[in-house]
Structure formats: structure tokens, C-alpha cells
Amino acid sequence: SIIASKIAHTMELPEHIIEAVRIGGLVHDIGKIVVPSEILNKARKLMPAEMELIKLHPKMGADIFRDIDLPFHLTEMIEQHHERLDGSGYPNGLKDEDISLEARIIEVADTFDAMASDRPYRYSPGREAEVAELKANRNIKYDVYVVDAFLELLETDPDLQPSLMHA
């Protein structure tokens, strides 16, 4: 995604990592192809079984790329983009440094994109709520350095728009 690569750039990461994050951001939700569109577009709260199916998408997406030899860890980025520092994420409940830096960048960009985009079941809560979510969970769910880079990015580009990767 554009936002993920901008965060990586703001963090002054090497160009090859910025490019890897850009590609990972573009395909991180590819596993949703196994989730029926009726569930993805449901206008009400998901039933527990439906949520469990959604939670499979990171692992299913990673499986698509698992046997492809790439110069970076795309499968980790895809499989880990819903993991959280405190272990509350999915699909593996990873914590802290067990989550790749690239995945931690994609998860912050993905959180912003998800909150900034209207969904069938809710409207976007707005920029203040998006920023408040990231600040409130900085160093709890989200990497402190990644959140800080995102907030810096917002200061330099206050009109930053979601990348429409959830459209």
C-alpha cells in the first residue's frame, strides 16, 4: 500500500525494505479470496463462525506465496499483518519481536485504512478517532516506532487518504 511504504520511508528504512513493504501492503489481504463475499460485505455484526473464517485469511494468503522464492519475506508480512504486540492478534497470537517489522508497518497502515474507509456495517469514525486508536494502542498493540512514523507522516501530509485497499 502507498501508506505502508510511506511509513517505511518516514522510518528511513533501506530502499529494499520499503519496496518489500509496498508489495506486502498490496497483497496482504489476498487470502480474503477464500471468504465468501456475503461475509465480507455483511451489513451487520459477524457471527462467531463467520469471524473465524475471516481470521483464516492471513494464513490462506501466506499459503498462496509460500512456495515462491522471493528476495524478501512476503509470507511473513501477509500471515502476520493482524498480529498485535500484546498477543491479541491472529492467526498465531504472536507478540512483540516475533512479528516482523514489515508486518508491523502493514498493520498500522491497514488499521488506518480500515478505519478511514466506510464499511457496509459502519461509516468511518473520522480522522480524530483513527489517530486516537493508534495513539491509545501505541506500544500495546502497535509498534511505537511505526505509530510515531505514521503520526509524523500525518503532520507532513495532513490530507493523507486511505489507499482504498479495503474498497
Side-chain angles (χ1 to χ4, degrees), residues 14-167:
E15 200 58 44
H16 70 279
I17 294 178
I18 295 170
E19 180 63 7
V21 167
R22 184 186 72 76
I23 293 168
L26 290 172
V27 299
H28 75 280
D29 271 340
I30 196 166
K32 285 185 176 178
I33 63 173
V34 302
V35 180
S37 60
E38 305 83 58
I39 294 174
L40 292 175
N41 298 315
K42 190 171 181 179
R44 296 181 311 279
K45 185 176 179 176
L46 296 176
M47 301 296 293
E50 293 168 327
M51 191 61 211
E52 289 306 310
L53 188 56
I54 292 271
K55 287 182 175 183
L56 290 177
H57 86 269
K59 191 171 280 301
M60 300 301 286
D63 286 347
I64 291 170
F65 291 98
R66 201 161 312 279
D67 294 328
I68 299 173
D69 187 27
L70 296 167
F72 50 87
H73 303 286
L74 184 63
T75 56
E76 283 182 6
M77 287 183 259
I78 295 170
E79 189 165 352
Q80 297 175 3
H81 79 274
H82 280 289
E83 299 289 355
R84 301 298 183 250
L85 293 182
D86 63 1
S88 66
Y90 61 87
N92 300 312
L94 300 179
K95 289 180 157 187
D96 303 315
E97 299 299 318
D98 290 336
I99 306 165
S100 73
L101 174 60
E102 295 90 342
R104 287 181 269 152
I105 292 169
I106 292 169
E107 78 181 28
V108 168
D110 190 46
T111 299
F112 169 74
D113 268 353
M115 291 184 71
S117 304
D118 290 336
R119 296 297 177 91
Y121 54 88
R122 64 132 175 92
Y123 290 109
S124 168
R127 182 62 50 100
E128 274 187 38
E130 297 155 15
V131 171
E133 161 66 18
L134 292 170
K135 283 182 176 179
N137 287 293
R138 179 182 172 273
N139 211 27
I140 298 170
K141 291 182 180 183
Y142 311 113
D143 184 288
V144 65
Y145 301 109
V146 177
V147 171
D148 289 351
F150 176 75
L151 295 174
E152 181 181 332
L153 179 60
L154 278 183
E155 285 179 22
T156 60
D157 187 1
D159 296 323
L160 186 68
Q161 296 298 310
S163 63
L164 302 177
M165 56 194 210
H166 290 94

